[in-house]
Amino acid sequence: MKLYETSSIRNIKQKHEFKFTKSLGQNFLTDKNIIDEIIQGAEISEDDTVVEIGPGIGVITYEAALRAKKVIAVEIDKRLIPILRETLQGTDNVTVINGDILQQNIDSFTEGEKRENIKILGNLPYYITTPIIMKLLEEGVKADSITVMMQKEVADRINAGPGTKAYGAISVAVGYYCSVEKITDVPRNAFIPQPNVDSSVLRLKLRKEKPVQLNNEKLFFDCIRAGFGQRRKTLLNSMQTLQGTSKDLIKEALDAAGIDPARRAETLRLEEFAKIANEVDKRL
Ligand code: SAM
């Protein structure tokens, strides 16, 4: 019997009197093809250290352990720790940490490893997808890539380009730190229990160099937030909400950046946000 088979998961549940906790985003994968796509998408080699977010009963963990030098898996639910001890028997390169991924210093797990040999992956708990991704990126986590499954709508937003409905602050923010590739879409029937939404797997490859030169990184993110915070408004109007600015200052900055003040944030490329931020910064 294979670990990912529905009957195995049912047996484990029964033996350990385990009940799924919806509020922890517990939807476990039952489709081996999808597990393989995540593993292949993460491009794991035998020199790699894998950090897994939310191992559940260990279906991805087990496959990663077969390919990587070591795996560190962070699971918040302490009821799953004895289950993982059992399901990961036969592997000797996995460390399971019982804790909240949002509270972990992930770099401390991979000390001494080269950046290109650190791969982060996971079937993310959907209630905290964006906080997890933004924590990793904003903290500048030492890793080559982050290959993660998430709700399809969130993946579509992260992967969207200017001029589309899905394009928003998160598309620009993630694009600043990473190049984004979709690995696959995943139907809702690939999980037990079945969620109400479909999913996608994205690979976020961390950029070695940032795509734009910024004088003030915080202001760049403030500009993105201001622009998309009022996405129906023109830039001239939405950008005025930036602290310490005025209509005149924004008009001057947009003119200097060569950007029509009547445009809306949803039409701007990352490079254009960077230009605006640098011009506003000069005038503050
Ligand atoms: N990897 C397993 C799979 O694919 O079958 C389980 C994935 S399930 C979508 C998400 C997992 O993340 C659950 O095991 C859940 O308990 C765990 N989890 C939820 N919140 C967490 C947090 N803040 N930190 C670490 N793990 C968390």
Side-chain angles (χ1 to χ4, degrees), residues 24-29 52-60 74-77 80 99-102 123-128:
L24 288 177
Q26 290 181 342
N27 303 98
F28 295 166
L29 263 172
E52 187 189 4
I53 301 165
I57 64 158
V59 290
I60 300 173
V74 181
E75 172 56 60
I76 201 170
D77 188 345
L80 287 166
D100 179 350
I101 193 70
L102 294 174
N123 169 11
L124 294 181
Y126 291 176
Y127 72 106
I128 45 170

CSV table of all heavy atoms in Angstrom, one decimal, residues 24-29 52-60 74-77 80 99-102 123-128, ligand 1:
chain,number,residue,atom,x,y,z
A,24,LEU,N,-6.5,24.5,9.7
A,24,LEU,CA,-5.0,24.4,9.4
A,24,LEU,C,-4.7,24.1,8.0
A,24,LEU,O,-3.6,23.8,7.6
A,24,LEU,CB,-4.3,23.3,10.3
A,24,LEU,CG,-4.2,23.6,11.8
A,24,LEU,CD1,-3.6,22.5,12.6
A,24,LEU,CD2,-3.3,24.9,12.0
A,25,GLY,N,-5.8,24.1,7.2
A,25,GLY,CA,-5.6,23.9,5.7
A,25,GLY,C,-5.2,22.5,5.4
A,25,GLY,O,-4.4,22.2,4.5
A,26,GLN,N,-5.8,21.5,6.2
A,26,GLN,CA,-5.3,20.1,6.0
A,26,GLN,C,-6.1,19.4,4.8
A,26,GLN,O,-7.1,18.8,5.1
A,26,GLN,CB,-5.4,19.4,7.3
A,26,GLN,CG,-4.4,19.9,8.3
A,26,GLN,CD,-4.4,19.2,9.6
A,26,GLN,OE1,-5.4,18.5,10.0
A,26,GLN,NE2,-3.3,19.3,10.4
A,27,ASN,N,-5.5,19.5,3.7
A,27,ASN,CA,-6.0,18.8,2.5
A,27,ASN,C,-4.8,18.0,2.0
A,27,ASN,O,-3.9,18.6,1.4
A,27,ASN,CB,-6.5,19.8,1.4
A,27,ASN,CG,-7.6,20.7,2.0
A,27,ASN,OD1,-7.4,21.8,2.3
A,27,ASN,ND2,-8.8,20.1,2.0
A,28,PHE,N,-4.9,16.7,2.1
A,28,PHE,CA,-3.7,15.9,1.8
A,28,PHE,C,-3.7,15.4,0.4
A,28,PHE,O,-4.8,14.9,-0.1
A,28,PHE,CB,-3.6,14.8,2.9
A,28,PHE,CG,-3.3,15.2,4.3
A,28,PHE,CD1,-3.5,14.4,5.4
A,28,PHE,CD2,-2.9,16.5,4.6
A,28,PHE,CE1,-3.2,14.8,6.7
A,28,PHE,CE2,-2.7,17.0,5.9
A,28,PHE,CZ,-2.8,16.1,6.9
A,29,LEU,N,-2.6,15.3,-0.2
A,29,LEU,CA,-2.5,14.9,-1.6
A,29,LEU,C,-2.6,13.4,-1.7
A,29,LEU,O,-2.0,12.6,-1.0
A,29,LEU,CB,-1.1,15.3,-2.2
A,29,LEU,CG,-1.1,16.6,-3.0
A,29,LEU,CD1,0.4,16.9,-3.3
A,29,LEU,CD2,-1.9,16.5,-4.3
A,52,GLU,N,10.7,21.7,3.7
A,52,GLU,CA,9.3,21.5,3.4
A,52,GLU,C,8.3,22.2,4.4
A,52,GLU,O,8.5,22.1,5.6
A,52,GLU,CB,8.9,20.0,3.3
A,52,GLU,CG,7.5,19.8,2.7
A,52,GLU,CD,6.9,18.5,2.8
A,52,GLU,OE1,7.5,17.6,3.4
A,52,GLU,OE2,5.7,18.3,2.3
A,53,ILE,N,7.4,22.9,3.8
A,53,ILE,CA,6.4,23.6,4.6
A,53,ILE,C,5.1,22.7,4.7
A,53,ILE,O,4.5,22.4,3.7
A,53,ILE,CB,6.0,25.0,4.0
A,53,ILE,CG1,7.3,25.8,3.8
A,53,ILE,CG2,5.0,25.7,4.8
A,53,ILE,CD1,7.2,27.0,2.9
A,54,GLY,N,4.8,22.3,5.9
A,54,GLY,CA,3.5,21.5,6.1
A,54,GLY,C,3.6,20.2,5.5
A,54,GLY,O,2.9,19.9,4.5
A,55,PRO,N,4.3,19.2,6.1
A,55,PRO,CA,4.4,17.9,5.5
A,55,PRO,C,3.2,17.0,5.6
A,55,PRO,O,3.1,16.0,4.9
A,55,PRO,CB,5.6,17.2,6.3
A,55,PRO,CG,5.7,18.0,7.6
A,55,PRO,CD,5.3,19.4,7.3
A,56,GLY,N,2.3,17.4,6.6
A,56,GLY,CA,1.1,16.5,6.7
A,56,GLY,C,1.5,15.1,7.2
A,56,GLY,O,2.2,15.0,8.2
A,57,ILE,N,1.1,14.1,6.4
A,57,ILE,CA,1.5,12.7,6.8
A,57,ILE,C,2.8,12.3,6.0
A,57,ILE,O,3.2,11.2,6.1
A,57,ILE,CB,0.4,11.7,6.5
A,57,ILE,CG1,0.1,11.6,5.0
A,57,ILE,CG2,-0.9,12.0,7.3
A,57,ILE,CD1,-0.6,10.2,4.6
A,58,GLY,N,3.3,13.2,5.2
A,58,GLY,CA,4.7,13.0,4.6
A,58,GLY,C,4.7,12.5,3.2
A,58,GLY,O,5.8,12.0,2.8
A,59,VAL,N,3.7,12.7,2.4
A,59,VAL,CA,3.7,12.1,1.1
A,59,VAL,C,4.8,12.8,0.2
A,59,VAL,O,5.4,12.1,-0.6
A,59,VAL,CB,2.3,12.2,0.4
A,59,VAL,CG1,1.3,11.2,1.0
A,59,VAL,CG2,1.7,13.6,0.3
A,60,ILE,N,4.9,14.1,0.3
A,60,ILE,CA,5.9,14.8,-0.5
A,60,ILE,C,7.3,14.6,0.2
A,60,ILE,O,8.3,14.4,-0.4
A,60,ILE,CB,5.6,16.3,-0.6
A,60,ILE,CG1,4.2,16.5,-1.2
A,60,ILE,CG2,6.7,17.1,-1.3
A,60,ILE,CD1,3.7,17.9,-1.3
A,74,VAL,N,8.7,21.3,8.4
A,74,VAL,CA,8.1,22.1,9.5
A,74,VAL,C,6.6,21.9,9.5
A,74,VAL,O,5.9,22.3,8.6
A,74,VAL,CB,8.4,23.6,9.4
A,74,VAL,CG1,7.9,24.3,10.6
A,74,VAL,CG2,9.9,23.8,9.3
A,75,GLU,N,6.1,21.3,10.6
A,75,GLU,CA,4.6,21.0,10.7
A,75,GLU,C,4.1,21.5,12.0
A,75,GLU,O,4.6,21.3,13.0
A,75,GLU,CB,4.4,19.4,10.6
A,75,GLU,CG,3.0,18.9,10.9
A,75,GLU,CD,2.0,19.6,10.0
A,75,GLU,OE1,2.1,19.4,8.8
A,75,GLU,OE2,1.1,20.2,10.5
A,76,ILE,N,3.0,22.3,11.9
A,76,ILE,CA,2.5,23.0,13.1
A,76,ILE,C,1.7,22.0,14.0
A,76,ILE,O,1.6,22.2,15.2
A,76,ILE,CB,1.6,24.2,12.6
A,76,ILE,CG1,1.5,25.1,13.8
A,76,ILE,CG2,0.2,23.7,12.1
A,76,ILE,CD1,0.8,26.5,13.4
A,77,ASP,N,1.1,21.0,13.4
A,77,ASP,CA,0.1,20.1,14.1
A,77,ASP,C,0.9,19.0,14.8
A,77,ASP,O,1.4,18.1,14.2
A,77,ASP,CB,-0.9,19.6,13.1
A,77,ASP,CG,-2.0,18.8,13.8
A,77,ASP,OD1,-1.9,18.5,15.0
A,77,ASP,OD2,-3.0,18.6,13.1
A,80,LEU,N,0.5,15.3,14.2
A,80,LEU,CA,1.1,14.6,13.0
A,80,LEU,C,2.5,14.2,13.2
A,80,LEU,O,3.1,13.4,12.4
A,80,LEU,CB,1.0,15.6,11.8
A,80,LEU,CG,-0.3,15.8,11.2
A,80,LEU,CD1,-0.4,17.0,10.3
A,80,LEU,CD2,-0.8,14.6,10.4
A,99,GLY,N,6.4,23.1,14.6
A,99,GLY,CA,6.3,24.6,14.8
A,99,GLY,C,5.5,25.3,13.7
A,99,GLY,O,5.2,24.7,12.7
A,100,ASP,N,5.4,26.6,13.9
A,100,ASP,CA,4.7,27.4,12.9
A,100,ASP,C,5.7,28.0,11.9
A,100,ASP,O,6.7,28.6,12.4
A,100,ASP,CB,4.0,28.6,13.7
A,100,ASP,CG,3.3,29.5,12.8
A,100,ASP,OD1,3.4,29.5,11.5
A,100,ASP,OD2,2.6,30.4,13.3
A,101,ILE,N,5.5,27.7,10.6
A,101,ILE,CA,6.5,28.2,9.7
A,101,ILE,C,6.7,29.7,9.7
A,101,ILE,O,7.8,30.2,9.4
A,101,ILE,CB,6.1,27.7,8.2
A,101,ILE,CG1,7.3,27.9,7.2
A,101,ILE,CG2,4.9,28.4,7.7
A,101,ILE,CD1,8.4,27.0,7.4
A,102,LEU,N,5.7,30.4,10.1
A,102,LEU,CA,5.8,31.9,10.1
A,102,LEU,C,6.7,32.4,11.3
A,102,LEU,O,7.1,33.5,11.3
A,102,LEU,CB,4.4,32.5,10.2
A,102,LEU,CG,3.5,32.3,9.0
A,102,LEU,CD1,2.1,32.9,9.3
A,102,LEU,CD2,4.1,33.0,7.8
A,123,ASN,N,3.1,21.8,-0.1
A,123,ASN,CA,1.7,22.0,-0.5
A,123,ASN,C,1.1,22.9,0.6
A,123,ASN,O,0.9,22.5,1.7
A,123,ASN,CB,1.0,20.6,-0.5
A,123,ASN,CG,-0.5,20.7,-0.6
A,123,ASN,OD1,-1.1,21.7,-0.8
A,123,ASN,ND2,-1.2,19.6,-0.4
A,124,LEU,N,1.0,24.2,0.3
A,124,LEU,CA,0.9,25.2,1.4
A,124,LEU,C,-0.5,25.1,2.1
A,124,LEU,O,-1.5,24.9,1.4
A,124,LEU,CB,1.1,26.6,0.8
A,124,LEU,CG,2.5,26.9,0.3
A,124,LEU,CD1,2.5,28.4,-0.2
A,124,LEU,CD2,3.5,26.7,1.4
A,125,PRO,N,-0.5,25.4,3.4
A,125,PRO,CA,-1.9,25.6,4.0
A,125,PRO,C,-2.4,26.9,3.4
A,125,PRO,O,-1.8,28.0,3.5
A,125,PRO,CB,-1.5,25.8,5.5
A,125,PRO,CG,0.0,26.1,5.6
A,125,PRO,CD,0.6,25.6,4.3
A,126,TYR,N,-3.6,26.8,2.7
A,126,TYR,CA,-4.0,28.0,1.9
A,126,TYR,C,-4.4,29.2,2.7
A,126,TYR,O,-4.4,30.3,2.1
A,126,TYR,CB,-5.3,27.5,1.0
A,126,TYR,CG,-4.9,26.5,0.0
A,126,TYR,CD1,-5.8,25.9,-0.8
A,126,TYR,CD2,-3.5,26.1,-0.2
A,126,TYR,CE1,-5.5,25.0,-1.8
A,126,TYR,CE2,-3.2,25.2,-1.2
A,126,TYR,CZ,-4.2,24.6,-2.0
A,126,TYR,OH,-3.8,23.7,-2.9
A,127,TYR,N,-4.7,29.0,4.0
A,127,TYR,CA,-5.1,30.2,4.7
A,127,TYR,C,-4.0,31.2,5.0
A,127,TYR,O,-4.2,32.4,5.3
A,127,TYR,CB,-5.8,29.8,6.1
A,127,TYR,CG,-4.8,29.3,7.1
A,127,TYR,CD1,-4.5,30.0,8.2
A,127,TYR,CD2,-4.3,28.0,7.0
A,127,TYR,CE1,-3.6,29.5,9.2
A,127,TYR,CE2,-3.4,27.5,7.9
A,127,TYR,CZ,-3.0,28.3,9.0
A,127,TYR,OH,-2.2,27.8,9.9
A,128,ILE,N,-2.7,30.7,4.8
A,128,ILE,CA,-1.6,31.6,5.0
A,128,ILE,C,-0.6,31.6,3.8
A,128,ILE,O,0.6,31.9,4.0
A,128,ILE,CB,-0.8,31.4,6.3
A,128,ILE,CG1,-0.6,29.9,6.5
A,128,ILE,CG2,-1.5,32.0,7.5
A,128,ILE,CD1,0.3,29.5,7.7
B,1,SAM,N1,2.2,18.1,2.5
B,1,SAM,C1,0.9,17.4,2.8
B,1,SAM,C2,0.3,16.9,1.6
B,1,SAM,O1,0.6,17.5,0.5
B,1,SAM,O2,-0.5,15.9,1.6
B,1,SAM,C3,0.0,18.3,3.6
B,1,SAM,C4,-0.4,19.6,3.0
B,1,SAM,S1,-1.7,20.4,3.8
B,1,SAM,C5,-2.4,21.4,2.4
B,1,SAM,C6,-0.9,21.7,4.7
B,1,SAM,C7,-0.1,21.2,5.9
B,1,SAM,O3,0.4,22.4,6.6
B,1,SAM,C8,-0.9,20.5,7.0
B,1,SAM,O4,-0.3,19.4,7.4
B,1,SAM,C9,-1.0,21.6,8.1
B,1,SAM,O5,-1.2,21.0,9.4
B,1,SAM,C10,0.3,22.3,8.0
B,1,SAM,N2,0.3,23.7,8.5
B,1,SAM,C11,-0.8,24.5,8.6
B,1,SAM,N3,-0.4,25.7,9.1
B,1,SAM,C12,1.0,25.6,9.3
B,1,SAM,C13,2.0,26.5,9.8
B,1,SAM,N4,1.6,27.8,10.2
B,1,SAM,N5,3.2,26.1,9.9
B,1,SAM,C14,3.6,24.8,9.5
B,1,SAM,N6,2.7,23.9,9.0
B,1,SAM,C15,1.4,24.3,8.9
